[in-house]
Amino acid sequence: WLVIDRKVYDVSEFSKRHPGGSRVIGHYAGQDATDAFEAFHNDKSLVKKYLKSLLIGELAPDQPSFETNKKKSLLEDFRELRCTVEKMGLLRPNYTFFFLIFIHLLVLDVASWLVVWYFGISLVPFVIGMVLFTTAQIQMGWFQHDLGHCSVLRTPKWNRLLQIVMINILKGLSASWWNHLHNQHHAKPNCFRKDPDLNMHPLLFSLGKTLSMEV
């Protein structure tokens, strides 16, 4: 069970079919998932149709909808800030900007191979080609990151499709693998055992008093 806008939902079975994966939604079991729900879903009207069949109740009037370790005033400030940012249009993508980013990445990638092909693999052309290729690969990683967040194009479908082109074809990695891990990171950032970015503990990673004590 989890809470969204003070309504309680049983997602036990639905979590297996959840497009974002069962682990992301499972990280909020028994907790308030309102802010995560707002952040992860662009088309909330569509998602709420699925929620209707999962609704099993509502919190009692005297029952807080936030965790005891969180400050109510901080949550309220954050939600107000998010509404302000959305109203100002700061989350709307600039299509011209991203189009130019995409074109310049393709140019850099192609140029890196053409330099080596045309001038050979002597030291200077090899270094130039390596610099061009490395720059393109790093920038592709950040571009596919924005695509993975569905922040570039209008619909998740087209974002996912272009992400597959960027990370699967041009970088040789898996979009599904990346999304599976990165969605968990944003669902529970810096929460040990829930944020995959911290799962190197205890041998390679330790930060802060709590993790240090666990080590």
Side-chain angles (χ1 to χ4, degrees), residues 86-98:
E86 288 180 339
K87 288 177 182 177
M88 292 174 66
L90 298 180
L91 299 182
R92 287 197 294 268
N94 183 322
Y95 297 115
T96 303
F97 169 78
F98 282 114

Side-chain angles (χ1 to χ4, degrees), residues 24 43 59 76 94 152 187 202:
V24 174
D43 191 350
L59 293 179
E76 291 174 346
N94 183 322
V152 177

Side-chain angles (χ1 to χ4, degrees), residues 20 46 68 79 118 139 151 200:
L46 173 65
T68 55
R79 290 170 182 175
Y118 187 79
Q139 292 296 317
S151 301
M200 294 180 288

Side-chain angles (χ1 to χ4, degrees), residues 28-138:
Y28 277 92
Q31 298 178 9
D32 181 86
T34 303
D35 295 303
F37 175 82
E38 292 288 331
F40 274 89
H41 302 96
N42 290 332
D43 191 350
K44 295 176 183 62
S45 58
L46 173 65
V47 179
K48 285 179 179 178
K49 292 180 181 179
Y50 291 92
L51 285 177
K52 287 181 180 179
S53 62
L54 307 175
L55 181 65
I56 57 173
E58 194 167 346
L59 293 179
D62 60 340
Q63 175 69 36
S65 60
F66 56 91
E67 307 306 308
T68 55
N69 62 339
K70 295 180 180 178
K71 292 179 63 176
K72 182 181 179 182
S73 58
L74 186 63
L75 281 174
E76 291 174 346
D77 286 349
F78 172 78
R79 290 170 182 175
E80 183 180 346
L81 174 63
R82 179 179 176 83
C83 289
T84 303
V85 167
E86 288 180 339
K87 288 177 182 177
M88 292 174 66
L90 298 180
L91 299 182
R92 287 197 294 268
N94 183 322
Y95 297 115
T96 303
F97 169 78
F98 282 114
F99 175 75
L100 293 175
I101 288 289
F102 180 63
I103 294 300
H104 109 270
L105 292 178
L106 293 182
V107 170
L108 284 175
D109 200 53
V110 171
S112 68
W113 292 102
L114 287 178
V115 166
V116 175
W117 173 76
Y118 187 79
F119 293 102
I121 56 173
S122 56
L123 181 61
V124 173
F126 179 79
V127 170
I128 293 174
M130 182 178 65
V131 170
L132 292 172
F133 184 76
T134 302
T135 303
Q137 287 290 304
I138 293 171

Side-chain angles (χ1 to χ4, degrees), residues 182-200:
H182 199 66
N183 284 344
Q184 291 181 70
H185 161 69
H186 279 289
K188 287 288 183 177
N190 297 331
C191 291
F192 181 52
R193 301 192 192 283
K194 291 188 177 182
D195 182 349
D197 288 5
L198 302 186
N199 281 352
M200 294 180 288

